[in-house]
Amino acid sequence: MAAMDKYLQFQESVPCKTRAKRGCATHPRSIAERVRRTRISERMRKLQELVPNMDKQTNTADMLDLAVDYIKDLQKQVKNLKDGQANCTCSSK
């Protein structure tokens, strides 16, 4: 019985290093990184919904390029509409 007690004491003094299951990180940095990636993915999905002609297979850099081009095009349209409204000579100003 003394040998068993000695073994149990040794087992309690040594920290147990168990591996996490695949896909279940236990390190705080790994968990924080997964949260960061998830937030980025969610925002990229929202961006895909807003920008026309953006496929789900498009990589992140290309998605951002398409979004920037789309926003620039929208800004140009707004500017043209404002210029057209300023140059309007109709009586309903």
Side-chain angles (χ1 to χ4, degrees):
M1 215 44 186
M4 185 65 156
D5 290 337
K6 203 174 212 182
Y7 173 73
L8 289 175
Q9 278 182 334
F10 174 74
Q11 191 176 15
E12 289 172 7
S13 67
V14 176
C16 180
K17 289 194 175 188
T18 57
R19 277 187 59 97
K21 292 180 183 176
R22 185 172 180 89
C24 298
T26 57
H27 195 278
R29 280 196 191 128
S30 299
I31 294 168
E33 181 63 21
R34 186 184 327 124
V35 169
R36 186 186 72 82
R37 284 192 312 264
T38 303
R39 289 178 64 214
I40 291 171
S41 296
E42 289 170 358
R43 296 211 170 55
M44 292 305 291
R45 267 188 246 113
K46 288 179 184 178
L47 190 62
Q48 283 176 337
E49 293 171 7
L50 292 173
V51 178
N53 301 325
M54 191 181 288
D55 296 329
K56 290 185 179 181
Q57 288 83 17
T58 308
N59 66 38
T60 304
D62 290 342
M63 280 186 196
L64 294 173
D65 285 339
L66 287 170
V68 167
D69 291 342
Y70 181 65
I71 290 169
K72 285 181 180 178
D73 186 51
L74 289 175
Q75 288 174 333
K76 192 185 306 180
Q77 289 179 24
V78 168
K79 183 181 180 301
N80 289 340
L81 288 171
K82 284 183 179 179
D83 291 346
Q85 188 178 20
N87 295 334
C88 180
T89 58
C90 58
S91 61
S92 63
K93 274 192 171 178

